[in-house]
Amino acid sequence: MPELSQETERARGPLPFGPAEVTGPSMVPTLHHGDALLVHWGARVRAGDVVVLRHPFQQDLLVVKRAVELREGGWWVLGDNAYAGGDSTDYGAVPEELVLGRVRLRYRPLRPGRRSPFAVLRWGLSAVRPVLSDRSAARRLRAR
């Protein structure tokens, strides 16, 4: 399950945007281990959005998932990687008050040792990308 680094909670301040770092494989191919995120704290969530939430059973743990649909008990959230687990199929709907924000941007840091001009150019073209809502992913995941 992609957890967020412990620094995420400390970095969350009075501003509506803040950084987070992904650890784990459950959001592959959208997000990868080591990706840095720009989170819009308190943003309105819609089906298909990638969100940051408190784990329902370990509320000191922040996780990143895709909000699939709003149900009676809260948001049904799933990882984009069906084989990783650690989502609503394990713990049910997540109450709305545990959904903290919406991921707006993904930044992939340059790996150490990748200094050739071609590697830097390739990284520059793919390092920063918006994390868009994917309504088709929400429909696809709902069918799982």
Side-chain angles (χ1 to χ4, degrees), residues 34-45:
D35 283 354
L37 306 175
L38 180 66
V39 180
H40 186 178
W41 302 110
R44 189 174 82 106
V45 175

Side-chain angles (χ1 to χ4, degrees), residues 53-56 70 73-77 87-88 91-99:
L53 58 114
R54 290 192 183 281
H55 191 284
L70 189 58
W75 280 101
W76 191 261
V77 295
D87 51 28
S88 286
Y91 46 73
V94 177
E96 286 189 76
E97 60 270 9
L98 296 182
V99 178

Side-chain angles (χ1 to χ4, degrees), residues 3-124:
E3 303 169 1
L4 297 178
S5 70
Q6 297 297 338
E7 297 301 314
T8 299
E9 191 65 22
R10 285 186 222 119
R12 188 174 168 202
L15 297 176
F17 292 93
E21 182 180 326
V22 176
T23 60
S26 80
M27 286 301 291
V28 170
T30 306
L31 302 172
H32 296 271
H33 179 81
D35 283 354
L37 306 175
L38 180 66
V39 180
H40 186 178
W41 302 110
R44 189 174 82 106
V45 175
R46 297 177 298 173
D49 290 344
V50 176
V51 297
V52 174
L53 58 114
R54 290 192 183 281
H55 191 284
F57 302 138
Q58 296 176 291
Q59 295 199 2
D60 59 333
L61 179 67
L62 299 180
V63 295
V64 180
K65 299 291 177 194
R66 187 173 301 277
V68 176
E69 66 182 353
L70 189 58
R71 295 183 175 186
E72 187 175 321
W75 280 101
W76 191 261
V77 295
L78 296 173
D80 286 357
N81 181 351
Y83 302 106
D87 51 28
S88 286
T89 57
D90 295 331
Y91 46 73
V94 177
E96 286 189 76
E97 60 270 9
L98 296 182
V99 178
L100 304 177
R102 181 175 166 191
V103 176
R104 297 291 187 166
L105 190 71
R106 186 258 310 155
Y107 167 79
R108 210 165 266 160
L110 184 62
R111 293 184 199 154
R114 300 279 178 121
R115 301 287 183 225
S116 75
F118 178 71
V120 171
L121 177 63
R122 193 171 134 204
W123 168 82

